[in-house]
Amino acid sequence: MLSYENKIILAPMVRIGTLPMRLLALRYGADIVYTEELIDWKFLRSKRRYNDILDTVDYVDQTDGTIIFRTCTEEKEKVVLQLGTCDAERAVKVAKLVENDVAAIDINMGCPKEFSIKGGMGVALMAQPDKAYNILKTLVDNLSIPVTCKIRILDTPDETLTVVQKLITSGIKAIGIHGRTRNERPQHPVHTDIIQYVSDRVSIPVIANGGSKEIETHSDIYKFKKLTGCTSVMIARAAEWNCSIFREEGLLPMDTVIREYLKLAVDYDNSPSNTKYCIQNILRDLQETPRGRQFLECQTLEQICSIWDLDEYCQQKQSQHQKLGIQGRWQVCP
Ligand code: FNR
């Protein structure tokens, strides 16, 4: 059973938290990795397939064949699937589908985007604690794996504590707290004091989040942990920019991280568009350099790989995959 004590965690990030980045984070030293937020009703359109070429489990969208969620044995004990939901019944349906493929389920109660709020998901649930509690309780009652949620703080320490205490009575095993309110943006300072106030007063592990602006080296993770008084820390942007932030031995150069990420993207046949998006977020301003512009024109994994001298690696892997017949070889799982 997954423990949430004393852990350093890759935070959920839409489009960033796909399989190659999660594996890279684990290999660099992350203890737990969250998936990107997956929306319950979209997930319910998928079918589970065992992909015997990649040795992965794929949840494939039945309407367009895209991979909604791909996972593998290497992460099985450490991957937390984050769901976007506003409905206990739908959430349980998804959770039961993936129960044997992931280590835990997390509910997103922090997303402030219009899409989430309009759908009654994400941070909208913080304004409806009864509904949020009901979703968590239904999951806890029906699952054999841990259930958690990730929230944003409310305006005051006490308001935040009151909601957290209610959510905890559902039986969740931990709670992630992003120390910003619904209306605050990433550039605003993070309220470490409110995270600490809550963490000091509750009985389950609190996972502190929101410190990336101040997390430039691995040791900064421990400073943030100390500042928030939490047992565990969850990192989003600092990992998006340089995933080797999880390495105790120190940061690796950007090009090394890109190469290691790219190899995993090739190994796991990640889509070129998702691979490109993740690399764009590592390169950031460097997209404006001649090499960055060359990269932006790439459309295939092979083209991207050639910029980092991995063309041979990519060709070899892709031809191996093709020989095995990567397309159309999914088997229906029992
Ligand atoms: C996020 N965040 C986020 N949160 C969440 O609960 N589910 C999600 O799918 C996402 N997606 C996402 C994508 C990207 C690109 C970013 C940068 C952020 C929020 C994230 O998990 C975290 O709460 C904040 O970024 C604050 O933490 P950091 O960045 O200071 O470590």
Side-chain angles (χ1 to χ4, degrees):
M1 187 71 78
L2 194 63
S3 150
Y4 290 89
E5 295 284 356
N6 205 17
K7 297 289 188 282
I8 297 178
I9 300 171
L10 175 71
M13 281 184 279
V14 167
R15 297 189 72 192
I16 301 289
T18 47
L19 182 60
M21 195 63 85
R22 298 196 304 267
L23 290 179
L24 192 61
L26 286 175
R27 290 182 189 181
Y28 284 151
D31 299 302
I32 298 175
V33 290
Y34 278 52
T35 67
E36 59 179 332
E37 177 192 48
L38 296 161
I39 306 296
D40 58 2
W41 57 265
K42 286 193 194 165
F43 206 101
L44 289 173
R45 291 200 310 227
S46 71
K47 274 262 186 308
R48 183 184 188 274
R49 300 274 189 261
Y50 172 64
N51 184 322
D52 62 352
I53 293 150
L54 302 176
D55 196 17
T56 55
V57 170
D58 296 344
Y59 286 83
V60 185
D61 190 318
Q62 291 302 282
T63 57
D64 59 11
T66 53
I67 312 284
I68 291 187
F69 173 51
R70 170 168 282 165
T71 185
C72 65
T73 316
E74 185 178 340
E75 67 168 2
K76 190 172 176 197
E77 309 297 326
K78 293 170 178 178
V79 64
V80 178
L81 186 129
Q82 191 191 58
L83 268 183
T85 188
C86 66
D87 183 89
E89 216 172 288
R90 272 203 309 270
V92 163
K93 268 193 198 155
V94 177
K96 291 306 280 180
L97 281 178
V98 297
E99 189 174 14
N100 296 317
D101 292 324
V102 299
I105 298 286
D106 181 78
I107 299 299
N108 185 350
M109 299 190 181
C111 184
K113 298 235 166 84
E114 199 185 330
F115 168 81
S116 289
I117 292 178
K118 273 195 175 155
M121 301 182 287
V123 79
L125 288 169
M126 291 295 289
Q128 294 177 284
D130 289 334
K131 192 173 188 182
Y133 166 87
N134 183 40
I135 293 172
L136 296 173
K137 176 87 173 104
T138 310
L139 287 166
V140 169
D141 288 348
N142 285 283
L143 295 180
S144 58
I145 53 175
V147 176
T148 59
C149 65
K150 174 168 173 280
I151 66 163
R152 275 181 179 247
I153 54 167
L154 295 169
D155 288 335
T156 67
D158 280 322
E159 279 177 87
T160 312
L161 181 62
T162 304
V163 172
V164 169
Q165 276 168 337
K166 166 138 190 131
L167 299 178
I168 288 176
T169 57
S170 67
I172 52 172
K173 289 283 187 288
I175 186 160
I177 306 186
H178 178 188
R180 292 188 180 83
T181 63
R182 175 178 177 149
N183 295 322
E184 286 175 330
R185 291 295 159 258
Q187 64 275 16
H188 291 117
V190 56
H191 301 274
T192 49
D193 52 335
I194 299 193
I195 302 178
Q196 184 176 32
Y197 183 85
V198 175
S199 165
D200 283 352
R201 287 164 181 77
V202 299
S203 53
I204 62 170
V206 174
I207 306 163
N209 172 242
S212 274
K213 257 176 47 181
E214 286 79 37
I215 297 178
E216 287 177 359
T217 65
H218 189 77
S219 57
D220 292 337
I221 299 173
Y222 296 99
K223 287 188 198 151
F224 185 62
K225 177 175 156 138
K226 199 158 173 232
L227 214 56
T228 54
C230 290
T231 179
S232 294
V233 172
M234 174 184 265
I235 303 165
R237 287 165 299 162
E240 175 190 23
W241 300 327
N242 188 332
C243 191
S244 68
I245 194 76
F246 292 109
R247 284 178 90 241
E248 266 176 33
E249 306 86 339
L251 281 177
L252 292 169
M254 184 191 71
D255 283 317
T256 308
V257 175
I258 293 179
R259 281 174 65 85
E260 292 181 352
Y261 170 77
L262 257 176
K263 282 187 181 174
L264 283 164
V266 170
D267 293 350
Y268 286 97
D269 195 35
N270 201 46
S271 78
S273 60
N274 182 254
T275 305
K276 198 168 164 181
Y277 181 78
C278 290
I279 296 177
Q280 274 179 280
N281 285 289
I282 301 174
L283 286 174
R284 299 163 78 195
D285 293 348
L286 295 174
Q287 289 175 71
E288 301 307 321
T289 61
R291 190 174 66 151
R293 280 196 288 274
Q294 190 193 346
F295 160 73
L296 288 176
E297 280 169 20
C298 293
Q299 286 185 350
T300 64
L301 280 185
E302 200 181 334
Q303 287 166 353
I304 302 173
C305 281
S306 74
I307 297 181
W308 281 274
D309 297 326
L310 285 170
D311 7 3
E312 216 170 288
Y313 183 87
C314 183
Q315 280 157 12
Q316 271 176 10
K317 272 280 165 188
Q318 288 191 335
S319 80
Q320 263 174 28
H321 290 164
Q322 263 154 21
K323 269 193 207 131
L324 291 165
I326 196 151
Q327 266 121 22
R329 289 248 337 230
W330 287 311
Q331 295 171 349
V332 182
C333 293

